[in-house]
C-alpha cells in the first residue's frame, strides 16, 4: 500500500509553498499541450505570492489547478476557493494546469481528497494575496491598511475618499510587500463567501463541448509515431517467439520493438510484450493484430474464476485474521439463540474509463517530456525516471484532461511504455491502448467473498455480529507475497460497522493474487457496503420490520464511534452516527418511504454508508418485470460531505455515482480462464446506458459547516446494496452475488 | 483515391481504404474532437455526421465514403457555439467530457429528424452513446432544452 494515499496520508500537512526562490515552474493549461505553444506561467506574472497564484499587470488572475480534472470538477472547485479568498472576479481568472511538481504537495488525485486536503492551503493562498494587495493600496494612497477593503471584487477600495484601484495596477507594488505570516491573515467567514458553496458551471464546459484537444488521447506532437502494444495475455507472461513478417508488410508500420517483462512485483511497470510502431493509430492496431506471438504464460495461467471463487468462499467460512473486536461475539453465538448468516460475493471489475489509457513521451537525451492523462503526475515522473535511469527532475509531466480515471489512471504503466518506446525510436511516441487492452490489462477492482453472521434477540436486533471478508489485496501490486487486506482496505467499510452491536468481530482471510489489482472508485467500500448493507436488510426482514425503521434502530440515536481512524483524522472528522442517521432520514423522506407498499415487481431499498469521510444514504426505486428486467425510475440520495466547494459539481458526482453503481450491480463482472481475462469490450463488459441507467437521481446536500470531506467516490458504495434491497422488496429475490445477471435479472 | 468533404473542405485520401474514418479524422486531418472509445460501434464516442446523419466513424471505412460529406464537432457551427452546445453548457452536462462530443453529434442528428423528441425518442436515439461518468440525466435535460430553444427561436 505504498502508493495509495489512504486517509492518514490524505490529511497530512499540506504544503503552502511560497515562490520566493527563483525556481522556474512551467505550468501549462491542460488543453494547451502542444509543444512550442506559450502557456502563461505563474512565475512570469507581476505578482505571484504562491506557486498556485499569479496576478498579471492587466488584472488577469492565474490560478493553478494542481490536481487532475477527470470529471471531478477540480479545475473549477479548487481555483474558486483561491478566487473567493482573493476576492477575485471569476470571469478574470485563468486556470492553469499544474505539471507534475512535488512543490504542490500531493497531486495524486484519488481518495476523494482534492478539496479536503487543499481547502485550507488554497484559502490561505487567496487571503495572502488579498492582504498584500490591500497593503499595497494603503501604501500607495498613504492611508491606514484598516481603511482599505477588497470590495467590490478585483479592486481595493478606500471608501472614505471614494477611491478604487484594480488588482492589475496593484500587482507590481503588491509583489514588493513582505509575505504576511499566517497569523496575520483574515480568512472570510462562510457568510462572506462569494464562490465557495455556490453552484458554478465547469470552467472548461465550452471547450469540452467544442471538442478542443484537451485529452491525453488528443495530444499530437511533431514527428510523433504511434504505438500499439501486444501485452502478454496472462500476468507475468513472456514472449517465447515472435513473427512480425506480416506486420511489417502493412503500409504505415515502421518497426516492432520488444518491451521487457517486469520484475515482480509488477507495481506500475509496463507489462512487457511487443510494440508495433506506425505512423498512425490504425496501422499500429492492424499491425499488432497480425503479429504471431508465442507466449510463455507463467505461473498465473492457473487462474480460473469459478475455482477461485470457491476458494474465496471456502476461506470466508473459516476463521480469519482478526481485524477488530468489540466484546465477544462467540459467547453470544454459543448460547444457542437465533442466528442469521449469509454469504456475499462480488467479482472483479474493470474501470473502463471512456478514454482508454494513452500517453505521449519525448525522450531527448537525459530529459523526458511526457503528456499524459494521469491522476498521478509525480508518479509518472518517478516511474519514467526509474525505468530510464534518470533523475526525477529530468522528467516533465504535462497533465492533460482525463477521459475518466476512476483510479485506473493513477497507475502510470502506459506512460512508462511511451517513454521506453521514445527512447528506443529516438522520436516522440504516442502509446494508444485499445478498449481491449484497457479491459484485459486493467488493474482490476478486487473480487471478494464475504461471510456475515449475527445472533439476534427476540426483537430481531443483533447482540453479536461476526463478519469476514476475503479478497486479493491491492498491496499485492507492490508486494508479490501480500495476501491480507491492508489496514487501508479494512478501513473501507469493514473493520467497524456503524451499528449499535455490543459484540462484534471483523476478520480478513488470505487470498493469493493472479491479476493486477488496483483501486477503483470507492475501492473496497463497494463489496463491503454491499455485504453489510444487504445483511442489515436481511435482518430487518427476519425481524419482520420495515427496513428503514430497522436501519435507524441499528444506527441507534447517534454518537461518535471509534472507526480506527488516525488520531488527527478522528479529531477533525469524528465518525458521528447522528450524521449517518440524518442522511438516512433525508433520503427516506424525499423518497416518500413507506407511502406505497412494496411487492408485485415494485419496490424501494435503502442503504447508508460513510466513506471518504462523507455520509451518504441512497434510496433506490425499482420496477422488475417477469423477464427479470430491472428499471430504476428514481434514486434519492442524501449527502453530508461537510462544506462543499461547488454544489452543482457535487450533484453531478452523485448522479454519476448512481450510474456507475448501476453498471457494477447490473452487469459488472470480469472473469479469467487460464489466467486470460474473458472480457474485452463493451459487448461483454457492458456498462449502463441511457435506457438502463436510473432515470432520475435526486441529490440532497446537507448544509454543514463541518470541514470538507470527499464527493467523488462516496456515492457508489450505498447505491449497490440499496438497489439489491429494492429488488428484494419488489420480488422477494435476495441478491447475494453480484452482478444481477448472475441472478436471472438484468 | 477517395474523395469526400470534411467540414466543408474537399479532401482526397489515398491511404489504406480499410482505414476507419475515425483515424483519418484524428491522426491524418487532426480533428481530434471525434473520440476513440471502443472501435466496435459500441459506445458512440466517435459519432460524426455523414450527410447530416449520425454514424460511428470507428466502423465506417474510408472506401465507403466516396462523394459523402462528413461533419465533425469542429464543423457543426461556423459562428459561435451550436444551439445544442449552448444547451449542454447551460445544463452543465459534462463531467470528464470525453463522450460529450459524440453525444452532441448524436443529439444534433436526433433533433434534425425529431425536433420535439419524447423521452422514449431520446432513449432510443441516445442509448448507443455510453457516458461512463453517468451524465445521462443531464444529457436528456439538455436535449429538451435545445429543442425548446429551437422552437422558441423559430416562433
Ligand atoms: S469508438 Fe466508435 S462507437 Fe465506440
Ligand atoms: S462525461 Fe465522462 S464519459 Fe461522459
Amino acid at each position: 500500500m505504498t502508493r495509495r494515499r489512504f486517509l492518514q496520508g490524505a490529511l497530512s500537512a499540506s504544503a503552502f509553498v511560497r515562490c520566493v526562490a527563483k525556481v522556474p515552474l512551467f505550468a501549462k493549461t491542460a488543453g494547451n499541450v502542444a509543444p512550442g505553444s506559450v502557456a502563461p506561467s505563474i512565475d512570469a506574472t507581476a505578482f505571484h505570492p504562491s506557486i498556485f497564484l499569479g496576478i498579471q499587470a492587466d488584472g488577469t488572475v492565474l490560478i493553478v489547478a494542481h490536481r487532475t480534472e477527470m470529471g471531478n470538477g477540480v479545475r473549477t472547485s479548487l481555483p474558486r476557493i483561491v478566487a473567493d479568498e482573493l476576492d477575485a472576479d471569476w470571469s478574470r481568472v485563468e486556470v492553469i494546469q499544474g505539471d507534475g511538481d512535488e512543490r504542490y504537495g500531493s497531486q495524486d488525485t484519488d481518495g476523494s481528497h482534492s478539496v479536503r486536503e487543499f481547502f485550507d492551503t488554497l484559502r490561505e493562498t487567496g487571503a495572502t494575496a488579498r492582504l498584500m494587495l490591500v497593503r499595497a493600496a494603503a501604501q500607495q494612497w498613504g492611508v491606514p491598511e484598516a481603511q482599505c477593503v477588497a470590495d467590490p471584487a478585483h479592486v481595493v477600495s478606500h471608501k472614505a475618499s471614494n477611491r478604487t484601484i484594480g488588482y492589475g495596477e496593484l500587482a507590481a507594488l503588491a509583489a514588493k510587500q513582505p509575505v504576511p505570516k499566517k497569523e496575520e491573515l483574515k480568512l472570510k467567514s462562510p457568510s462572506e463567501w462569494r464562490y465557495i458553496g455556490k453552484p458554478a458551471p465547469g470552467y472548461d464546459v465550452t471547450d469540452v463541448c467544442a471538442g478542443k484537444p484537451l485529452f491525453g488521447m488528443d495530444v499530437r506532437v511533431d514527428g510523433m509515431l504511434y504505438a500499439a502494444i501486444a501485452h502478454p495475455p496472462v500476468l507475468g507472461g513472456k514472449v517465447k517467439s515472435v513473427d512480425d513478417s506480416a506486420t511489417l508488410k502493412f503500409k504505415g508500420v515502421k518497426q516492432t520493438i520488444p518491451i521487457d517483462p517486469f520484475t515482480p512485483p509488477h507495481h506500475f511497470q509496463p507489462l512487457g510484450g511487443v510494440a508495433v510502431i506506425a505512423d498512425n493509430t490504425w496501422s499500429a492496431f492492424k499491425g499488432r493484430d497480425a503479429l504471431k506471438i508465442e507466449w510463455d504464460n507463467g505461473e498465473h495461467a492457473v487462474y480460473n474464476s469459478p475455482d477461485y471463487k470457491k476458494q474465496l468462499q471456502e476461506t470466508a467460512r473459516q476463521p480469519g485474521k482478526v481485524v477488530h473486536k468489540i466484546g465477544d461475539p462467540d459467547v453470544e453465538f454459543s448460547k444457542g439463540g437465533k442466528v442469521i448468516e449469509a454469504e456475499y460475493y462480488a467479482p472483479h471489475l474493470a474501470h473502463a474509463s471512456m478514454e482508454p489509457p494513452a500517453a505521449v513521451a519525448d525522450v531527448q537525451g537525459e530529459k523526458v517530456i511526457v503528456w499524459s492523462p494521469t491522476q498521478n503526475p509525480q508518479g509518472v515522473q518517478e516511474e519514467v525516471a526509474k525505468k530510464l535511469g534518470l533523475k526525477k527532475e529530468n522528467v516533465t509531466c504535462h497533465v492533460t484532461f482525463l477521459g475518466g480515471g476512476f483510479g485506473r489512471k493513477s497507475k502510470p504503466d502506459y506512460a512508462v511504455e511511451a517513454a521506453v518506446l521514445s527512447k528506443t525510436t529516438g522520436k516522440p511516441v504516442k502509446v494508444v491502448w485499445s478498449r481491449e487492452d484497457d479491459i484485459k490489462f486493467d488493474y482490476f477492482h478486487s473480487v471478494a467473498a464475504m461471510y456475515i453472521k449475527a445472533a439476534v434477540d427476540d426483537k430481531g436486533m443483533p447482540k453479536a455480529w461476526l463478519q469476514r471478508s476475503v479478497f486479493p489485496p491491492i498491496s499485492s501490486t507492490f508486494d508479490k507475497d501480500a495476501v491480507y487486506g491492508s489496514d487501508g482496505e479494512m478501513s473501507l467499510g469493514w473493520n467497524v460497522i456503524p451499528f449499535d452491536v455490543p459484540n462484534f468481530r471483523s476478520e480478513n482471510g488470505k487470498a493469493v493474487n493472479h491479476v493486477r489489482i488496483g483501486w477503483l472508485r470507492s475501492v473496497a467500500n463497494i463489496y463491503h457496503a454491499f455485504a453489510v448493507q444487504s445483511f442489515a436488510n436481511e435482518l430487518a426482514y427476519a425481524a419482520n420490520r420495515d427496513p428503514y425503521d430497522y436501519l435507524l434502530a441499528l444506527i441507534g440515536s447517534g454518537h461518535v464511534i471509534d472507526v480506527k481512524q488516525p488520531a488527527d483524522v478522528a479529531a477533525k472528522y469524528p465518525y458521528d452516527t447522528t450524521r449517518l442517521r440524518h442522511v438516512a432520514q433525508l433520503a427516506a423522506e424525499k423518497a416518500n418511504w413507506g407511502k406505497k407498499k412494496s411487492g408485485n415487481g415494485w419496490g424501494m431499498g435503502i442503504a447508508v454508508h460513510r466513506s471518504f469521510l462523507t455520509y451518504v444514504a441512497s434510496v433506490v426505486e425499482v420496477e422488475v418485470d417477469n423477464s427479470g428486467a430491472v428499471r430504476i425510475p428514481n434514486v434519492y440520495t442524501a449527502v453530508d460531505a461537510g462544506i462543499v466547494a461547488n454544489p452543482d459539481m457535487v450533484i453531478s458526482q452523485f448522479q454519476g455515482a448512481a450510474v456507475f453503481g448501476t453498471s457494477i450491480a447490473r452487469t459488472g463482472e470480469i472473469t479469467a480462464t487460464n489466467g486470460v481475462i474473458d472480457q474485452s469490450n463493451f459487448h461483454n463488459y457492458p456498462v449502463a446506458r441511457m435506457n438502463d441507467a436510473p432515470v432520475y437521481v435526486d441529490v440532497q446536500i446537507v448544509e454543514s459547516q463541518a470541514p470538507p470531506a470527499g464527493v467523488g467516490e462516496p456515492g457508489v458504495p450505498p447505491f449497490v446494496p440499496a438497489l439489491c434491497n429494492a429488488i428484494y422488496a419488489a420480488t422477494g429475490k435476495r441478491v447475494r452475488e453480484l452482478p444481477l445477471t448472475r441472478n436471472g435479472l438484468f | 483515391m477517395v474523395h469526400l468533404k470534411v467540414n466543408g473542405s474537399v479532401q482526397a485520401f489515398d491511404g489504406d481504404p480499410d482505414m476507419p474514418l475515425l483515424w483519418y479524422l484524428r491522426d491524418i486531418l487532426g480533428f481530434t474532437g471525434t473520440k476513440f472509445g471502443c472501435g466496435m460501434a459500441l459506445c458512440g464516442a466517435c459519432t460524426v455526421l455523414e450527410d447530416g446523419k449520425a454514424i460511428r466513424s470507428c466502423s465506417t471505412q474510408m472506401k465507403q465514403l466516396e462523394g459523402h460529406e462528413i461533419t465533425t464537432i469542429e464543423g457543426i457551427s461556423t459562428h459561435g457555439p451550436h444551439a445544442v452546445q449552448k444547451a449542454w453548457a447551460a445544463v452543465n452536462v459534462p463531467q470528464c467530457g470525453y463522450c460529450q462530443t459524440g453525444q452532441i453529434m448524436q443529439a444534433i442528428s436526433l433533433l434534425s429528424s425529431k425536433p420535439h423528441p419524447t423521452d422514449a425518442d431520446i432513449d432510443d436515439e441516445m442509448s448507443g452513446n455510453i457516458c461512463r461518468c453517468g451524465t445521462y440525466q443531464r444529457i436528456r435535460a439538455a436535449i429538451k432544452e435545445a429543442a425548446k430553444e429551437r422552437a422558441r427561436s423559430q416562433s
Side-chain angles (χ1 to χ4, degrees):
Chain A
M1 200 60 38
T2 53
R3 305 294 318 149
R4 173 74 173 164
R5 287 184 188 260
F6 276 110
L7 306 181
Q8 299 93 310
L11 294 156
S12 62
S14 46
F16 181 63
V17 195
R18 295 197 171 86
C19 206
V20 275
K22 291 271 170 291
V23 192
L25 178 74
F26 301 105
K28 290 183 179 165
T29 56
N32 197 358
V33 287
S37 65
V38 184
S41 110
I42 295 286
D43 288 355
T45 59
F47 173 42
H48 47 91
S50 147
I51 56 168
F52 288 106
L53 171 66
I55 301 180
Q56 291 177 345
D58 68 357
T60 304
V61 170
L62 306 183
I63 304 178
V64 171
H66 66 297
R67 298 176 65 82
T68 294
E69 180 60 66
M70 50 186 172
N72 47 355
V74 290
R75 279 172 57 87
T76 309
S77 56
L78 297 181
R80 280 172 73 84
I81 296 168
V82 179
D84 198 324
E85 288 290 350
L86 176 62
D87 279 315
D89 174 350
W90 180 244
S91 68
R92 299 180 71 185
V93 170
E94 197 170 315
V95 177
I96 295 180
Q97 187 66 37
D99 288 344
D101 190 324
E102 56 194 21
R103 289 179 301 156
Y104 291 128
S106 164
Q107 292 180 275
D108 212 349
T109 312
D110 62 12
S112 299
H113 65 114
S114 292
V115 170
R116 185 195 330 154
E117 186 170 350
F118 289 92
F119 190 63
D120 296 342
T121 302
L122 296 176
R123 288 181 71 196
E124 285 160 20
T125 300
T128 300
R130 168 168 38 92
L131 183 56
M132 291 167 80
L133 289 160
V134 164
R135 285 178 176 170
Q139 193 179 39
Q140 176 146 337
W141 291 326
V143 299
E145 176 190 324
Q147 292 177 7
C148 299
V149 287
D151 176 60
H154 236 82
V155 298
V156 177
S157 315
H158 184 247
K159 305 250 158 145
S161 63
N162 223 350
R163 280 179 292 187
T164 61
I165 181 166
Y167 282 3
E169 293 161 82
L170 283 170
L173 192 53
K176 297 207 181 89
Q177 305 295 317
V179 176
K181 291 200 199 59
K182 200 169 155 179
E183 303 79 68
E184 296 174 67
L185 301 179
K186 240 183 74 201
L187 296 181
K188 292 177 170 184
S189 69
S191 63
E192 295 171 303
W193 283 340
R194 290 172 190 276
Y195 306 127
I196 300 169
K198 313 276 190 300
Y203 174 78
D204 300 293
V205 66
T206 310
D207 285 352
V208 164
C209 293
K212 292 269 170 67
L214 305 169
F215 298 92
M217 192 62 91
D218 301 340
V219 174
R220 292 158 58 85
V221 172
D222 277 345
M224 175 177 94
L225 297 170
Y226 296 77
I229 298 164
H231 297 103
V234 178
L235 178 66
K238 296 182 173 67
V239 177
K240 245 200 259 173
S241 69
V242 51
D243 171 3
D244 61 5
S245 50
T247 300
L248 293 174
K249 284 194 195 114
F250 284 126
K251 198 172 157 189
V253 171
K254 305 262 181 213
Q255 66 184 117
T256 65
I257 299 172
I259 300 184
D260 292 340
F262 60 82
T263 348
H266 48 268
H267 202 264
F268 299 149
Q269 301 177 68
L271 286 166
V274 180
V276 176
I277 307 290
D279 59 17
N280 66 79
T281 314
W282 165 245
S283 298
F285 281 169
K286 214 168 143 180
R288 176 176 68 171
D289 291 346
L291 287 172
K292 291 192 191 71
I293 306 175
E294 225 191 305
W295 300 98
D296 171 0
N297 284 332
E299 55 174 322
H300 295 300
V302 298
Y303 192 39
N304 284 296
S305 291
D307 301 341
Y308 191 80
K309 176 181 170 187
K310 282 193 204 119
Q311 282 171 30
L312 287 189
Q313 288 174 327
E314 203 39 56
T315 309
R317 289 176 199 132
Q318 309 301 325
K321 190 167 111 177
V322 174
V323 178
H324 188 61
K325 196 176 151 180
I326 301 167
D328 190 350
D330 291 340
V331 173
E332 278 303 331
F333 291 135
S334 66
K335 283 184 186 162
K338 188 173 177 194
V339 166
I340 294 163
E341 54 186 344
E343 295 184 358
Y344 301 92
Y345 179 81
H348 284 299
L349 301 169
H351 298 78
S353 51
M354 214 60 234
E355 172 198 42
V360 176
D362 187 5
V363 179
Q364 300 167 353
E366 296 293 291
K367 301 232 181 224
V368 188
I369 307 174
V370 179
W371 292 262
S372 181
T374 178
Q375 294 173 246
N376 183 7
Q378 292 172 30
V380 169
Q381 292 179 286
E382 263 160 44
E383 296 300 319
V384 168
K386 215 191 298 168
K387 189 74 188 178
L388 301 189
L390 300 172
K391 289 211 200 80
K392 186 179 167 188
E393 314 80 89
N394 286 6
V395 180
T396 302
C397 178
H398 298 309
V399 181
T400 67
F401 280 52
L402 274 62
F406 312 120
R408 170 62 182 93
K409 290 172 183 163
S410 299
K411 296 97 172 169
D413 53 327
Y414 50 97
V416 181
E417 290 177 335
V420 167
L421 295 172
S422 172
K423 189 175 160 133
T424 314
T425 56
K427 299 247 170 63
V429 171
K430 177 184 202 169
V431 164
V432 180
W433 282 39
S434 63
R435 178 60 60 197
E436 289 77 10
D437 292 316
D438 174 55
I439 289 181
K440 285 193 175 300
F441 307 111
D442 199 359
Y443 284 79
F444 298 99
H445 170 76
S446 196
V447 52
M450 286 134 307
Y451 167 81
I452 311 185
K453 165 174 158 177
V456 295
D457 64 18
D458 49 5
K459 293 203 181 65
M461 298 307 290
K463 293 181 286 181
W465 183 302
L466 165 72
Q467 58 183 28
R468 276 189 211 116
S469 104
V470 185
F471 54 88
I474 294 173
S475 23
S476 63
T477 284
F478 309 103
D479 168 6
K480 181 164 132 6
D481 301 320
V483 288
Y484 286 110
S486 65
D487 289 352
E489 281 159 316
M490 287 300 129
S491 77
L492 304 177
W494 200 252
N495 54 359
V496 179
I497 49 170
F499 301 146
D500 274 339
V501 183
N503 301 289
F504 171 82
R505 191 168 71 240
S506 48
E507 298 179 6
N508 174 227
K510 263 190 204 181
V512 174
N513 156 64
H514 294 293
V515 292
R516 300 197 292 184
I517 308 281
W519 40 94
L520 174 143
R521 191 179 191 176
S522 82
V523 202
N525 288 294
I526 295 173
Y527 40 84
H528 290 155
F530 165 61
V532 171
Q533 294 296 316
S534 296
F535 191 68
N537 194 263
E538 297 207 36
L539 292 184
Y541 282 97
N544 237 329
R545 301 260 314 255
D546 172 78
Y548 163 62
D549 289 340
Y550 186 85
L551 188 60
L552 291 186
L554 274 180
I555 297 171
S557 54
H559 52 95
V560 172
I561 57 170
D562 179 7
V563 287
K564 310 285 131 207
Q565 307 184 101
D568 55 336
V569 182
K572 197 170 175 186
Y573 297 94
Y575 191 146
D576 184 352
T577 55
T578 320
R579 294 171 75 183
L580 192 67
R581 197 183 161 84
H582 183 55
V583 289
Q585 289 166 327
L586 275 179
E589 204 174 290
K590 193 68 191 263
N592 275 321
W593 182 275
K595 293 274 154 61
K596 183 171 163 185
K597 202 169 147 21
S598 286
N600 292 321
W602 181 91
M604 273 192 184
I606 186 167
V608 291
H609 191 70
R610 178 203 194 233
S611 62
F612 307 96
L613 310 174
T614 290
Y615 305 80
V616 185
S618 288
V619 173
V620 176
E621 179 187 351
V622 296
E623 294 161 7
V624 187
D625 73 14
N626 289 336
S627 70
V630 177
R631 187 173 171 266
I632 309 169
N634 289 296
V635 177
Y636 303 92
T637 315
V639 183
D640 180 351
I643 291 167
V644 299
N646 182 355
D648 192 53
M649 219 65 92
V650 175
I651 291 170
S652 276
Q653 285 302 301
F654 282 84
Q655 289 171 337
V659 177
F660 200 84
T662 300
S663 300
I664 293 171
R666 197 193 295 271
T667 51
E669 181 175 29
I670 291 288
T671 54
T673 304
N674 299 325
V676 180
I677 300 301
D678 298 318
Q679 294 73 22
S680 57
N681 208 318
F682 293 120
H683 63 293
N684 52 14
Y685 187 70
V687 297
R689 296 172 179 274
M690 184 181 269
N691 60 359
D692 52 17
V695 180
Y696 177 74
V697 182
D698 178 74
V699 182
Q700 297 184 81
I701 302 170
V702 174
E703 283 225 28
S704 168
Q705 291 309 324
V711 299
E713 297 166 271
V716 177
F719 175 86
V720 176
L723 170 64
C724 296
N725 294 342
I727 289 170
Y728 184 79
T731 65
K733 198 174 206 133
R734 177 59 68 185
V735 176
R736 294 201 184 91
E737 176 183 346
L738 293 175
L740 298 185
T741 45
R742 290 268 168 191
N743 301 266
L745 299 159
F746 61 95
Chain B
M1 186 75 85
V2 179
H3 302 86
L4 73 166
K5 247 187 184 178
V6 179
N7 294 336
S9 307
V10 177
Q11 302 285 354
F13 171 76
D14 69 347
D16 182 349
D18 291 342
M19 181 186 275
L21 171 62
L22 170 67
W23 298 112
Y24 171 66
L25 293 172
R26 289 183 57 82
D27 291 351
I28 295 170
L29 297 186
F31 288 124
T32 54
T34 304
K35 303 300 185 202
F36 168 52
C38 69
M40 285 177 72
L42 296 166
C43 77
C46 65
T47 304
V48 299
L49 304 181
E50 180 190 6
D51 308 321
K53 278 223 152 45
I55 58 157
R56 305 291 186 236
S57 65
C58 71
S59 307
T60 306
Q61 293 171 318
M62 289 307 291
K63 63 185 174 204
Q64 299 168 265
L65 290 170
E66 178 64 42
H68 289 283
E69 186 159 356
I70 297 300
T71 311
T72 71
I73 189 79
E74 290 90 347
I76 52 174
S77 169
T78 43
H79 30 269
H82 186 278
V84 172
Q85 286 168 313
K86 281 192 209 153
W88 243 247
V91 179
N92 198 25
V93 173
Q95 287 186 37
C96 83
Y98 193 78
C99 73
Q100 298 298 344
T101 48
Q103 306 276 6
I104 289 169
M105 299 310 284
Q106 192 71 42
I108 290 174
S109 182
L110 163 67
L111 289 168
S112 72
S113 63
K114 295 201 171 89
H116 305 287
T118 62
D119 277 334
D121 293 335
I122 296 174
D123 274 358
D124 280 354
E125 180 88 10
M126 301 304 296
S127 288
N129 290 66
I130 293 173
C131 174
R132 184 66 165 143
C133 298
T135 62
Y136 299 125
Q137 187 172 328
R138 292 186 187 223
I139 289 172
R140 186 189 303 280
I143 290 173
K144 289 183 178 171
E145 170 77 24
K148 236 194 285 165
E149 193 51 48
R150 208 165 105 149
R152 216 176 293 150
S153 69
Q154 282 168 3
S155 65

